[in-house]
Amino acid sequence: MRNNILALVALMFTVMVHAQQDSLALPNPATLIDYDSKIYDSQGLQVRPEYPGGISAFYKFVGETMVVPQIESETDLSLKIYVAFIVEKDGTLSEIRAIRDPGYGLGDEAKRVLSLSKKWSPGVQNDKVVRASFLLPITINIEAMKVKKRKRG
């Protein structure tokens, strides 16, 4: 009888030790999801987000894609739109908004164009890919349209 009780205690102890070891097992780091959704200012990052080909390629894309409305004016106009957006960890743009919009539908047009953008290379901080905020000016130069003046009389 004494042997049976010792065998039972030894079996229970073994089961408890194995159960504790299994619960202490750490998950595979490759399966962990990074839930860091903090947004970093792109100016302070170790590696800033970048459009493929650089900022000049970005402005070329904007210039070729943006549809500028006809605005009647007797003088040339230079209008500036400030757009803000987030470069996500996968390089896509989100939360695109016009911070300073001169009107004429240019803010909405700038948002439309940015939504068509290629993926950017994301920002990096402490050797980790991060979400990064970006603020850019877009300057639109509009040549004067000759406006016919009505004669009074």
Side-chain angles (χ1 to χ4, degrees), residues 49-59 61 91 117-122:
E50 186 175 45
Y51 184 80
I55 198 71
S56 60
F58 171 76
Y59 280 121
F61 159 74
S117 172
K118 294 178 185 177
K119 286 187 175 185
W120 291 47
S121 61

Side-chain angles (χ1 to χ4, degrees), residues 60-146:
K60 181 179 179 190
F61 159 74
V62 169
E64 292 172 349
T65 310
M66 193 142 182
V67 177
V68 179
Q70 291 185 351
I71 301 170
E72 290 186 10
S73 175
E74 294 180 14
T75 60
D76 292 348
L77 294 175
S78 181
L79 303 173
K80 198 169 277 199
I81 309 158
Y82 286 89
V83 290
F85 52 91
I86 307 296
V87 179
E88 296 292 342
K89 293 178 182 182
D90 67 355
T92 58
L93 303 185
S94 69
E95 299 183 35
I96 302 167
R97 55 196 191 283
I99 300 299
R100 187 185 301 167
D101 183 352
Y104 308 105
L106 292 172
D108 289 337
E109 180 62 8
K111 290 189 290 186
R112 183 192 73 82
V113 170
L114 265 64
S115 70
L116 300 173
S117 172
K118 294 178 185 177
K119 286 187 175 185
W120 291 47
S121 61
V124 176
Q125 185 68 17
N126 297 326
D127 298 324
K128 287 180 129 180
V129 173
V130 297
R131 299 175 75 206
S133 65
F134 224 91
L135 177 67
L136 285 176
I138 298 175
T139 303
I140 306 295
N141 294 312
I142 301 172
E143 292 183 15
M145 292 181 62
K146 302 302 178 201

